[in-house]
Amino acid sequence: MTSRRRNPSFLSLLQLLSLLAIASAEVFFEENFEDGWDKRWVKSDWKKDENTAGEWNFTAGKWHGDPNDKGIQTSEDYRFYAISAEFPEFSNKDKTLVFQFSVKHEQKLDCGGGYMKLLSGEVDQKKFGGDTPYSIMFGPDICGYSTKKVHAILTYNGTNHLIKKDVPCETDQLTHVYTFILHPDATYSILIDNEEKQTGSLYSDWSLLPPKKIKDPEAKKPEDWEDKEFIPDPEDKKPEGYDDIPKEITDVDAKKPEDWDDEEDGEWTAPTIPNPDYKGPWEPKKIKNPNYKGKWKAPMIDNPDFKDDPDIYVFPKLRYVGIELWQSGTLFDNVLLTDDPAYAKKLAEETWGKHKEVEKAAFEEAEKKKEEEEAKADPIDSDAEDDAEDAEDAESDKEDEAEADDVKDEL
């Protein structure tokens, strides 16, 4: 058997073209959270007057692949967090928009978000908070057993629209990369760890515009339309004596109780039992309807209220990236805004991809040590365990309610 070898010069040309394509990528914003990051990001005063604002930590986390690869992490339980960074204003018109970042939930998140926002126009970053209008909100959201999904909320004509498709998110305590890609043809892709998890169109997967087609409200089902798949068999006849079969019969096996007193209890009669020969009211058997046409559906017509918007995908004044959430323990890193999916994929591989195995090993070692320490600790009594569980349930309910309110506020 012969083998075909590729021309080395041809391979080099492909590699060169690939590198040139990546080199031509336009990067609107890239943050790896190196020293000096706090001069580029503005911590909001939101919720400070209520003493519920949390502090950000600059850290690689408890387990990591590289101690020098740091990000920013929410640090306090049950606190509000808001922080943002500005970049030169741009429009994604006629461009692909790629929004990417990494998230790590070290706290084994029960309820809280790991999403980020893109904001447009003028924003007072010191007042940035939950009520600040945004253009795109994207990222994982976990709350209890029911909510474990990727949020993708787009703002159109002043209204926030949640994606209609369900996109499950990662729920472990390791770093994962979330990528949202929006193309000029109004198609999109959602990736997790460089793998596509969902794709589609803005027209079908969000309710940004009225539907192009609607059911004809004037259409009526024809009177002779047969929509019954089965009909009674006209040849089937009711058996003679069918209606004479009683529903119940006397239980011939019943015996008069020995202590039954006819004078005090009355004349004893045997109880009745269901008649095994009784089949209920007679109905003719069903046969296939030879004239069956299927379920009638109104024909679809053009929606007179639909007006296409070729710029449905455009966000003309993108200027800020922000994080606004309520929770603790989530670490964000490697935030990217670009027009090149290949550049984003390469960055993910050089960061998350490079360190993921080492990070996983570090996490498993940390879990092993934790289990060993718990095994050595004195067991607490059952009453104390019950109290601890009750307290945990109460806190979980508190988190669920707060997160539900938070998502409602976002929409």
Side-chain angles (χ1 to χ4, degrees):
M1 180 169 63
T2 60
S3 61
R4 181 178 298 173
R5 300 182 62 187
R6 294 186 177 182
N7 188 325
S9 61
F10 178 69
L11 287 175
S12 298
L13 178 60
L14 286 178
Q15 293 169 348
L16 178 61
L17 290 174
S18 177
L19 290 173
L20 287 174
I22 292 176
S24 65
E26 186 171 3
V27 177
F28 308 109
F29 181 82
E30 184 171 353
E31 179 61 79
N32 300 322
F33 292 102
E34 297 174 347
D35 290 340
W37 70 270
D38 51 340
K39 296 180 176 63
R40 297 183 292 274
W41 290 75
V42 177
K43 297 177 183 178
S44 175
D45 291 333
W46 181 54
K47 296 293 184 179
K48 279 191 174 181
D49 57 344
E50 300 175 14
N51 294 319
T52 56
E55 291 296 327
W56 293 90
N57 284 341
F58 179 48
T59 176
K62 298 175 183 177
W63 44 83
H64 46 71
D66 179 357
N68 296 316
D69 184 9
K70 298 180 180 180
I72 57 173
Q73 184 179 41
T74 57
S75 64
E76 301 172 79
D77 290 339
Y78 316 124
R79 290 291 184 270
F80 292 92
Y81 296 86
I83 192 169
S84 62
E86 185 178 5
F87 47 81
E89 185 176 282
F90 76 94
S91 169
N92 65 315
K93 184 174 177 62
D94 299 325
K95 299 176 183 178
T96 294
L97 176 64
V98 184
F99 184 23
Q100 177 174 284
F101 55 92
S102 68
V103 178
K104 177 170 60 168
H105 298 306
E106 285 194 339
Q107 75 281 39
K108 200 171 183 179
L109 188 65
D110 290 324
C111 193
Y115 37 78
M116 299 187 71
K117 296 179 177 180
L118 296 181
L119 302 92
S120 300
E122 290 286 343
V123 173
D124 185 344
Q125 291 178 266
K126 295 297 288 183
K127 295 181 179 179
F128 169 54
D131 295 330
T132 305
Y134 60 87
S135 296
I136 297 175
M137 182 173 121
F138 172 68
D141 185 32
I142 300 172
C143 195
Y145 295 101
S146 60
T147 303
K148 295 179 181 180
K149 63 184 179 181
V150 177
H151 271 316
I153 301 176
L154 306 180
T155 299
Y156 183 75
N157 288 341
T159 301
N160 300 332
H161 298 270
L162 181 64
I163 188 172
K164 293 188 285 186
K165 288 184 176 178
D166 188 28
V167 187
C169 67
E170 297 294 331
T171 58
D172 59 31
Q173 295 168 263
L174 301 175
T175 298
H176 295 284
V177 178
Y178 289 84
T179 309
F180 182 68
I181 304 174
L182 181 58
H183 299 285
D185 63 356
T187 60
Y188 74 96
S189 294
I190 292 175
L191 287 71
I192 302 178
D193 297 341
N194 273 344
E195 292 186 8
E196 188 174 77
K197 301 297 183 180
Q198 191 58 266
T199 186
S201 168
L202 300 190
Y203 288 98
S204 59
D205 295 349
W206 282 264
S207 299
L208 305 180
L209 297 175
K212 292 182 180 181
K213 297 283 186 177
I214 59 171
K215 293 179 181 180
D216 184 355
E218 302 298 326
K220 305 294 182 182
K221 183 173 72 172
E223 292 184 2
D224 61 348
W225 187 277
E226 290 281 356
D227 58 5
K228 293 182 178 179
E229 188 174 359
F230 295 91
I231 59 173
D233 182 358
E235 303 296 327
D236 193 19
K237 303 298 182 183
K238 180 166 62 174
E240 287 188 18
Y242 187 92
D243 292 337
D244 297 330
I245 301 173
K247 187 176 182 180
E248 294 184 338
I249 58 175
T250 300
D251 184 1
V252 296
D253 296 324
K255 303 295 183 183
K256 179 179 178 180
E258 293 182 0
D259 59 351
W260 186 274
D261 188 325
D262 289 340
E263 291 184 1
E264 291 186 5
D265 301 326
E267 183 180 356
W268 181 83
T269 55
T272 58
I273 59 174
N275 185 356
D277 294 328
Y278 179 75
K279 306 301 181 184
W282 183 83
E283 292 182 358
K285 66 181 181 181
K286 300 285 187 177
I287 61 171
K288 191 81 173 179
N289 185 354
N291 299 317
Y292 176 66
K293 295 182 179 181
K295 298 298 182 182
W296 184 82
K297 295 180 180 179
M300 303 298 287
I301 61 171
D302 291 336
N303 184 356
D305 295 328
F306 175 79
K307 183 180 180 182
D308 195 13
D309 181 1
D311 290 340
I312 190 173
Y313 72 96
V314 176
F315 295 93
K317 296 182 178 181
L318 293 172
R319 188 171 170 182
Y320 305 88
V321 60
I323 308 171
E324 174 274 310
L325 35 79
W326 179 87
Q327 50 107 305
S328 172
T330 296
L331 193 151
F332 296 85
D333 198 3
N334 298 311
V335 185
L336 176 67
L337 270 177
T338 181
D339 65 352
D340 188 358
Y343 180 82
K345 181 176 182 179
K346 181 173 180 290
L347 178 64
E349 289 298 335
E350 291 176 347
T351 53
W352 161 82
K354 180 180 178 181
H355 302 310
K356 62 179 181 179
E357 294 302 328
V358 178
E359 179 190 84
K360 183 179 179 182
F363 169 71
E364 291 173 349
E365 181 62 25
E367 286 294 287
K368 182 180 178 181
K369 289 183 178 179
K370 179 181 176 181
E371 291 174 0
E372 291 174 350
E373 291 174 358
E374 290 176 349
K376 292 178 182 179
D378 293 332
I380 60 177
D381 60 56
S382 58
D383 290 339
E385 283 184 351
D386 291 340
D387 292 342
E389 289 177 359
D390 290 343
E392 184 177 340
D393 290 341
E395 291 296 347
S396 179
D397 291 342
K398 178 182 177 183
E399 290 179 0
D400 289 351
E401 292 173 2
E403 179 65 14
D405 292 340
D406 190 40
V407 172
K408 289 180 182 176
D409 291 342
E410 294 294 351
L411 292 172

